[in-house]
């Protein structure tokens, strides 16, 4: 499951490692989704959906950043704007949000799936709306922040605690973004494996 698919970067990468996998990709931004659809047309084992995943079903506003990878349902923090000034401008875009569990209730997901979540501070909402789906996962790749890059976001320690209670063990970082001035970790792609 590719949550926060953008234009399909992760789907392309994981296709090389898992050539037979069926990939569900979720991307709320219309512009990015159109590009994701082009990937779906070329790869019949990808199914793309034009909505976000969260902890409730609703229509809401996403803050579409001038750098679309930084777009979020949460307001960008001053720390983010200072660290990544090219991302600070945004425009509102109305989107739909669904819960993962509601979406997958009538679909036959295999066990031991991989779930990747990159939703710019909204990761805890995705998890809380997908408890039953996460129970079918073996591996998680979750973008986690160590400083508040978005207002009211849950940081690594919160995500770690939540996933630990669901029997996932932290297995390190696949990628980290470091503050060049302080050496502090800003965010990373955290790897969790169910024990």
């Amino acid at each position: 499951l590719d949550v926060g698919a953008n234009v399909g970067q992760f789907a392309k990468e994981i296709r090389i490692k898992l050539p037979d996998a069926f990939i569900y990709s979720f991307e709320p931004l219309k512009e990015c989704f159109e590009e994701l659809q082009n990937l779906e047309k070329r790869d019949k084992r990808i199914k793309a959906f034009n909505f976000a995943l969260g902890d409730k079903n609703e229509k809401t506003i996403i803050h579409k950043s001038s750098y679309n990878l930084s777009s979020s349902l949460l307001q960008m923090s001053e720390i983010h704007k200072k660290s990544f000034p090219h991302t600070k401008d945004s425009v509102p875009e109305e989107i739909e949000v669904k819960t993962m569990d509601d979406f997958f209730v009538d679909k036959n997901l295999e066990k031991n799936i991989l779930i990747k979540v990159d939703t710019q501070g909204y990761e805890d909402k995705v998890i809380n709306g997908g408890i039953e789906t996460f129970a079918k996962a073996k591996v998680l790749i979750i973008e986690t922040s160590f400083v508040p890059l978005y207002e009211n976001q849950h940081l690594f320690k919160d995500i770690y605690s939540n996933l630990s209670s669901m029997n996932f063990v932290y297995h390190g970082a696949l990628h980290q973004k470091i503050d060049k001035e302080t050496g502090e970790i800003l965010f990373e792609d955290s790897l969790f494996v169910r024990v």
Side-chain angles (χ1 to χ4, degrees):
L1 312 186
D2 182 8
V3 184
N6 195 253
V7 297
Q9 299 93 319
F10 178 77
K12 290 176 191 173
E13 283 181 38
I14 205 68
R15 174 59 72 225
I16 295 165
K17 305 270 188 209
L18 300 172
D20 298 323
F22 190 91
I23 302 169
Y24 290 90
S25 293
F26 302 90
E27 175 52 48
L29 291 175
K30 290 178 183 65
E31 183 181 349
C32 295
F33 179 72
E34 287 171 7
E35 203 168 327
L36 186 60
Q37 281 184 302
N38 292 329
L39 179 62
E40 180 185 33
K41 287 173 187 169
R42 296 191 306 271
D43 186 335
K44 298 304 179 191
R45 295 187 64 77
I46 293 176
K47 183 64 181 157
F49 300 91
N50 188 205
F51 54 83
L53 293 177
D55 60 353
K56 57 186 160 188
N57 300 313
E58 63 178 344
K59 287 198 174 169
T60 190
I61 296 295
I62 192 169
H63 307 284
K64 182 183 175 186
S65 169
S66 47
Y67 179 67
N68 64 35
L69 286 166
S70 292
S71 302
S72 177
L73 281 87
L74 304 177
Q75 291 278 0
M76 191 178 285
S77 73
E78 291 306 314
I79 294 171
H80 193 301
K81 292 175 185 177
K82 182 177 177 248
S83 299
F84 309 102
H86 64 287
T87 70
K88 66 181 181 183
D89 296 325
S90 68
V91 294
E93 183 175 311
E94 186 175 60
I95 63 162
E96 187 175 2
V97 180
K98 298 183 181 183
T99 72
M100 186 181 283
D101 283 346
D102 282 353
F103 178 77
F104 283 109
V105 71
D106 60 350
K107 295 171 181 63
N108 291 320
L109 279 180
E110 294 180 16
K111 293 200 177 207
N112 297 323
I113 59 174
L114 182 152
I115 302 176
K116 166 255 176 186
V117 183
D118 182 354
T119 54
Q120 306 306 300
Y122 216 67
E123 290 77 15
D124 65 300
K125 305 286 194 298
V126 175
I127 295 166
N128 291 338
I131 300 295
E132 292 175 21
T133 310
F134 272 73
K136 297 177 181 175
K138 179 66 176 177
V139 177
L140 309 176
I141 300 170
I142 308 226
E143 186 176 83
T144 56
S145 293
F146 291 79
V147 297
L149 298 173
Y150 297 90
E151 294 179 12
N152 302 313
Q153 83 172 112
H154 285 212
L155 299 181
F156 174 85
K157 62 183 174 55
D158 307 305
I159 302 294
Y160 174 87
S161 177
N162 193 1
L163 293 176
S164 292
S165 73
M166 298 165 64
N167 297 318
F168 287 100
V169 173
Y170 178 65
H171 273 251
L174 300 179
H175 164 267
Q176 290 182 328
K177 188 69 171 179
I178 308 292
D179 186 306
K180 291 178 183 173
E181 291 180 10
T182 66
E184 182 179 23
I185 302 170
L186 297 174
F187 65 88
E188 71 177 31
D189 293 326
S190 301
L191 180 66
F192 291 87
V193 177
R194 182 184 293 284
V195 291

